[in-house]
Amino acid sequence: MLDLHRLRLLRELKHRGTLAAVAAALSYAPSSVSQQLSQLEAEVGVPLLEPVGRRVRLTEQAEILVAHTEAVLERLERAEADIATSLTDLTGTLRIASFQTAALALVPTALGLLRDLHPHLRVHVTHMEPEKALPALQARDFDLVLAEEYPGNPNPRPAELEQEDLLSDPLHLALPQTADSLDTESPMAALRSLANHAWVMEPEGTAARHWAMTLCRNAGFEPDVRFETTDLLLHLRLVEQNHAAAFLPDLVWSGQPPTVTLRQLPRDRRTRRVFTVVRRGRSQHPAVLACRDALLRAVSLRSDRA
């Protein structure tokens, strides 16, 4: 019988990439992780790791073991969900990761709804962008992630994760005061009129940055990106103070009136998709179901106030 704990360490290595990362995530010494994996190799009777420079990678046989481990862990999560469903009181801890604007506009309302309905459920929220949060969800660091998808840039859809739509969030071109009188006959003309202005965008490597750069290049210019941050409130402040142009979503105002001049974007680039993601084995856990319901109600309440 293979040791499940050691199998989980092998799975952690696949998702986290290095022995040091596995050790840090699980509060182990790297030597302890290495020793446990060596014992697993002895149990299986075939090599599971092979050196690649200073790192290691999983062999074909290790990948087979990880696939079976994923299936076992999914069944265990389903068992936990069934036990939780059988109880009359919802307890335990629900771990959520959310990107900034959803955390500001939706999460506080959802937390209030959860607190009223399930006072013994402990909810832990981490601000984290989807690029990091989704791999962490697969590594079981979180139970639910709020994520975003920009038009023309579909996200990967791993089979072990389940998505559920929350809302379509309109996107706008935000003009500094020094540019709000420029040619704006059409969305593309408004965008081209900012070709010589400074811009604020999210950092390289993010889906938002890729979408924004593609939009500007399709308009015929390379944007002068002078400010880079994932903080969309800082994006807004830089536009308000006439330092930069930006692309801003509706959620950044949390239901309040816009504070800068906005122009429409081209028709097929006007909204981003906001959704929740959970592991397939966790999707029917009552805490996850309650959280998803609270988030949908938060979206509805926000729409009623608009």
Side-chain angles (χ1 to χ4, degrees):
M1 181 73 70
L2 297 177
D3 185 274
L4 181 58
H5 171 67
R6 293 174 188 141
L7 289 170
R8 293 187 71 164
L9 289 178
L10 185 65
R11 177 195 173 277
E12 290 286 333
L13 180 58
K14 176 179 173 61
H15 285 287
R16 301 188 189 275
T18 67
L19 293 171
V22 174
L26 302 179
S27 300
Y28 289 165
S31 59
S32 176
V33 175
S34 180
Q35 182 182 28
Q36 291 289 317
L37 292 176
S38 294
Q39 290 178 346
L40 181 61
E41 281 189 328
E43 291 176 356
V44 178
V46 297
L48 299 177
L49 305 176
E50 54 188 9
V52 180
R54 296 184 178 181
R55 304 177 66 171
V56 295
R57 68 183 175 195
L58 275 63
T59 64
E60 179 183 352
Q61 291 72 33
E63 293 284 359
I64 293 171
L65 275 180
V66 168
H68 284 285
T69 303
E70 296 280 12
V72 170
L73 293 177
E74 180 183 328
R75 287 301 301 267
L76 290 175
E77 284 200 312
R78 291 182 185 275
E80 291 175 1
D82 288 344
I83 291 172
T85 301
S86 72
L87 301 174
T88 57
D89 192 15
L90 192 52
T91 61
T93 299
L94 181 69
R95 302 161 300 167
I96 300 172
S98 175
F99 62 98
Q100 184 193 34
T101 45
L104 289 169
L106 303 175
V107 171
T109 300
L111 289 175
L113 295 168
L114 284 171
R115 179 184 58 205
D116 292 342
L117 290 172
H118 307 289
H120 297 116
L121 177 65
R122 183 176 185 270
V123 183
H124 185 274
V125 179
T126 299
H127 170 210
M128 186 178 290
E129 297 305 311
E131 288 80 8
K132 293 183 178 180
L134 291 173
L137 176 69
Q138 289 180 283
R140 286 178 162 74
D141 291 343
F142 298 106
D143 301 303
L144 180 145
V145 167
L146 280 89
E148 58 185 347
E149 184 176 86
Y150 281 80
N153 290 273
N155 294 340
R157 284 169 167 75
E160 65 269 24
L161 300 183
E162 292 185 1
Q163 301 182 2
E164 182 177 282
D165 286 345
L166 270 179
L167 76 155
S168 294
D169 189 25
L171 297 160
H172 308 279
L173 175 61
L175 306 178
Q177 289 182 4
T178 53
D180 62 11
S181 61
L182 295 177
D183 181 8
T184 56
E185 294 179 359
S186 70
M188 196 60 76
L191 189 52
R192 289 195 189 102
S193 72
L194 293 165
N196 296 319
H197 277 68
W199 285 81
V200 55
M201 292 185 181
E202 297 199 37
E204 292 280 1
T206 61
R209 177 62 170 267
H210 181 265
W211 166 81
M213 294 296 290
T214 300
L215 195 54
C216 291
R217 288 166 180 166
N218 286 342
F221 69 94
E222 191 73 13
D224 178 10
V225 182
R226 300 188 194 177
F227 311 99
E228 294 183 277
T229 175
T230 59
D231 185 347
L232 292 194
L233 293 181
L234 180 53
H235 287 219
L236 175 58
R237 183 56 56 86
L238 289 169
V239 178
E240 290 173 339
Q241 298 295 321
N242 298 316
H243 295 298
F247 298 112
L248 294 175
D250 264 10
L251 284 181
V252 79
W253 287 282
S254 299
Q256 300 301 312
T259 55
V260 296
T261 301
L262 302 178
R263 293 289 184 269
Q264 280 192 331
L265 294 175
R267 188 173 301 277
D268 59 346
R269 294 293 186 266
R270 292 180 184 174
T271 59
R272 65 173 176 173
R273 174 175 166 250
V274 178
F275 54 99
T276 58
V277 192
V278 301
R279 290 184 302 280
R280 187 169 55 194
R282 200 75 169 171
S283 62
Q284 296 305 305
H285 193 287
V288 169
L289 294 173
C291 183
R292 280 182 152 175
D293 181 65
L295 286 166
L296 287 170
R297 290 174 62 194
V299 170
S300 179
L301 289 170
R302 179 179 177 275
S303 298
D304 290 344
R305 291 194 296 266

